[in-house]
Amino acid sequence: MLPTLQISDARTNIRPKVFCSAVIAVATIFGGNAPAAERPNIVLIMADDMGYGDLGCFGGEMTTPHLDGLAARGVRWTQFYNAAQCCPTRAALMTGMYSHQAGVGDMIDGHSKATREAAASPQYTTELKHNALTIAEQLRPGGYQTFMTGKWHLGYDDGERPVHRGFDRYFGIIGGADSYWQPKSLREDDRPVQVDPKNFYATNAFTDYAMRFVRERDPERPFFLYLAYNAPHSPLHARDEEVEQIGNRYAVGWDVVRRRRFERMKELGILPSNAILPSADAGSHSWESEPDKPKRIERMTKYAAIVERMDWNIGRLLKLLDEQKIADDTLIVFLSDNGAWASEATYGHDWAEAASPFRYFKTWTHEGGVRTPLIVSWPRRLADRGRIERKRYGHIIDLLPTFLAAAGSAPVATGGALPIVGRNLLPAWTTPNDVVDVPVYWERLGHGALRDGDWKIVRVFNSGGNAVQPAKRTGAWELYNLADDPTESRNLANVHPDRVSKMQSQYDDWQRSVGVVDREIILKRIAELGLTNE
């Protein structure tokens, strides 16, 4: 039963500010305008701040049978990338372009107000550009029903929320971090909603409404469902049931969990057998030296409980698709928006380091910040179910063009719509065919990276927050061959300086093309103008 909701008296009659498109052109992937029977339903599920190695099917010890089963029936990509943090990832996901191009070069919240004002650029705003069309705005002209539940975080004001950006139905939180029991930014369609915390849990409710939208759909037309959980983002609001089931699982500490996950990933083939587990980060300390083990165990247990409740809910949705006899014709994609968050707001630095075998965390552009587990399932079309794709890589900007290809539609190309930058990965998903890899780029809080084939350059921005330091804060470029060194353990910058120089020029060209404002300049302007955050 759906939770009892109290709809506020406020009603909106807003004319959406969204870009108005003409009739969509039709791609030729299915030989013209594909009949509805050939167009899949598309279900996109995204976790929030989930570590790369949390799921059982990616080497973790968490109990995630439904996602593990989805992986066994589908394909796991071991080298798929997000944009390192919440809003930028969601902007890139929705529009198929880099977040700066979509107007979300930084976070949209008050805590990034000074950065946006210092950047003074249309690439750094509080919403998606209205000619950067969302997946829903791209699919709906072709006949798709468009549903969303969960976390939006791409615009707070009238004309910026999901029902104004192409979604027919919506239930979820408009903001970023929010309570699981009594969220403040909860809306149904575009109406503010109040709930009784005794009878509400966000992960359950988002799934309830996703299932409701599927049941109430027009069965003669395909649908796109975007289920964006805020789980397992802080606050760590776990249900007692899952916490009790987990028990003392994490009493072994983060050193043991990190090593076990690493070895399990090699056993599964997620990592090559010769992969190296990097040395612990400078900010880490051993479990043996931890002074408050009970507190640390409790926080990790709550985090795992939130992940396991999410998996249970995903199982409910998968069961419904089976009951509706549409599972075979539904393309399902699961991923996370960034790497583990090394923050005391969640489980802290050391558990975050145990979350993956990669270096660094959310907001960094090393692999630990940008690599996500990706699961793809489409029973009607996928070959070699259970396959693990270890060779190819993809980026979150590739999902929109891939969905359009699956739907038999071309991108909207009239009236000033910005072009999609990502590429169609459908051939690589449906068969083990090779797809030519292309360069992918990152800039997040001054951290930067470029991957081109097996080679990656990456650098760290050394500033602490907005503090202005006398020395230059942008770190030196590091160079890694990810085919031989997926955990970025051997810096080859001094061995191949010419390659670093060439890739740096390539990266600089990209920054100019998408409108990145150098972080040194941003911090200098913040100091000179006395800018502050809200």
Side-chain angles (χ1 to χ4, degrees):
M1 179 178 295
L2 295 180
T4 302
L5 304 178
Q6 300 170 354
I7 308 299
S8 77
D9 290 334
R11 294 291 186 268
T12 57
N13 186 22
I14 306 299
R15 288 181 61 86
K17 295 192 293 182
V18 299
F19 173 82
C20 296
S21 62
V23 177
I24 195 167
V26 178
T28 58
I29 186 167
F30 291 119
N33 192 358
E38 295 182 6
R39 293 183 294 164
N41 305 305
I42 301 171
V43 176
L44 172 61
I45 307 172
M46 189 157 71
D48 194 353
D49 284 5
M50 192 190 78
Y52 183 88
D54 287 346
L55 304 180
C57 57
F58 274 82
E61 70 295 320
M62 294 185 189
T63 304
T64 54
H66 303 292
L67 284 168
D68 296 348
L70 194 70
R73 299 187 297 274
V75 176
R76 278 167 283 178
W77 274 47
T78 66
Q79 300 185 84
F80 201 80
Y81 292 107
N82 51 49
Q85 194 175 7
C86 183
C87 295
T89 287
R90 291 162 203 276
L93 170 69
M94 280 289 101
T95 65
M97 62 190 73
Y98 290 105
S99 65
H100 303 79
Q101 295 170 302
V104 187
D106 207 286
M107 300 291 283
I108 68 169
D109 306 287
H111 59 72
S112 294
K113 177 174 175 285
T115 293
R116 295 192 301 272
E117 291 178 348
S121 165
Q123 313 300 71
Y124 292 74
T125 71
T126 60
E127 61 171 314
L128 288 176
K129 293 179 180 178
H130 295 292
N131 57 349
L133 303 189
T134 68
I135 298 174
E137 289 169 322
Q138 295 277 9
L139 287 174
R140 191 158 67 170
Y144 270 76
Q145 302 162 86
T146 54
F147 312 133
M148 179 182 174
T149 66
K151 177 175 171 177
W152 174 241
H153 210 190
L154 286 173
Y156 295 108
D157 295 335
D158 293 341
E160 301 171 2
R161 297 184 290 270
V163 296
H164 308 134
R165 296 309 310 260
F167 287 97
D168 299 324
R169 305 287 304 278
Y170 174 69
F171 179 85
I173 55 174
I174 298 298
D178 211 331
S179 170
Y180 289 63
W181 309 112
Q182 195 172 26
K184 295 182 176 67
S185 65
L186 189 66
R187 287 178 178 256
E188 181 175 5
D189 294 327
D190 205 38
R191 300 184 298 275
V193 171
Q194 296 178 347
V195 295
D196 180 354
K198 296 178 181 178
N199 301 312
F200 184 90
Y201 189 70
T203 309
N204 293 351
F206 296 160
T207 312
D208 289 340
Y209 271 82
M211 295 169 68
R212 172 178 171 175
F213 295 160
V214 171
R215 290 190 183 101
E216 294 178 355
R217 77 192 188 281
D218 176 356
E220 299 302 317
R221 297 164 54 208
F223 66 85
F224 168 63
L225 168 64
Y226 175 33
L227 174 49
Y229 289 112
N230 60 323
H233 194 293
S234 67
L236 294 180
H237 289 172
R239 297 173 74 258
D240 291 341
E241 179 181 347
E242 281 81 28
V243 170
E244 292 171 2
Q245 289 173 352
I246 290 170
N248 292 323
R249 181 192 301 165
Y250 293 101
V252 296
W254 45 65
D255 297 322
V256 171
V257 170
R258 184 174 187 239
R259 172 59 65 177
R260 285 177 177 172
R261 288 187 176 192
F262 178 68
E263 295 300 332
R264 179 63 175 153
M265 286 181 191
K266 292 197 291 185
E267 291 175 9
L268 291 173
I270 301 298
L271 290 175
S273 60
N274 63 347
I276 297 172
L277 184 63
S279 301
D281 182 70
S284 303
H285 66 287
S286 70
W287 179 250
E288 183 179 355
S289 65
E290 167 56 42
D292 194 352
K293 290 184 176 66
K295 173 185 175 181
R296 297 302 177 184
I297 294 169
E298 178 187 23
R299 295 191 73 77
M300 182 60 191
T301 300
K302 287 183 175 180
Y303 171 89
I306 294 170
V307 173
E308 294 183 8
R309 171 55 50 163
M310 177 182 69
D311 179 83
W312 179 83
N313 272 286
I314 291 171
R316 295 171 58 214
L317 176 61
L318 297 179
K319 182 181 178 181
L320 175 65
L321 298 179
D322 282 332
E323 292 172 348
Q324 297 272 314
K325 302 187 185 307
I326 55 176
D328 286 351
D329 297 309
T330 299
L331 168 60
I332 303 174
V333 175
F334 174 87
L335 75 163
S336 183
D337 68 337
N338 44 249
W341 191 18
S343 169
E344 288 302 314
T346 178
Y347 49 14
H349 185 106
D350 297 278
W351 282 123
E353 188 165 57
S356 86
F358 307 118
R359 293 176 59 205
Y360 297 118
F361 319 99
K362 171 183 177 178
T363 75
W364 272 264
T365 54
H366 283 73
E367 295 291 286
V370 298
R371 194 184 286 212
T372 175
L374 181 79
I375 301 172
V376 179
S377 174
W378 188 3
R380 187 75 71 190
R381 291 289 305 275
L382 289 185
D384 296 336
R385 297 182 193 178
R387 175 168 61 96
I388 299 177
E389 176 55 66
R390 306 174 183 88
K391 184 178 180 182
R392 302 272 68 88
Y393 63 85
H395 191 280
I396 203 162
I397 61 175
D398 299 330
L399 292 182
L400 170 52
T402 303
F403 293 161
L404 287 176
S409 298
V412 172
T414 58
L418 293 175
I420 293 171
V421 175
R423 62 194 173 126
N424 171 23
L425 295 178
L426 193 61
W429 284 4
T430 55
T431 62
N433 290 343
D434 281 354
V435 172
V436 176
D437 290 323
V438 299
V440 291
Y441 303 83
W442 295 267
E443 188 279 329
R444 188 73 210 103
L445 296 171
H447 306 309
L450 155 63
R451 178 167 184 177
D452 192 353
D454 292 334
W455 292 95
K456 179 182 175 182
I457 58 169
V458 59
R459 67 184 179 192
V460 172
F461 191 76
N462 300 309
S463 171
N466 287 331
V468 176
Q469 302 169 358
K472 186 175 178 66
R473 291 172 290 272
T474 303
W477 286 108
E478 304 163 20
L479 175 69
Y480 300 98
N481 185 314
L482 295 181
D484 299 329
D485 180 23
T487 59
E488 297 172 319
S489 299
R490 298 183 294 270
N491 182 4
L492 302 176
N494 291 333
V495 179
H496 301 287
D498 291 344
R499 182 179 292 275
V500 173
S501 178
K502 179 181 178 181
M503 293 181 73
Q504 179 181 348
S505 296
Q506 192 176 346
Y507 182 83
D508 290 343
D509 290 343
W510 171 79
Q511 282 202 122
R512 286 189 290 270
S513 71
V514 301
V516 173
V517 179
D518 188 276
R519 208 71 183 179
E520 298 281 351
I521 295 174
I522 286 175
L523 292 190
K524 182 179 179 181
R525 290 175 181 169
I526 288 173
E528 290 176 348
L529 300 174
L531 301 175
T532 59
N533 292 319
E534 294 176 349

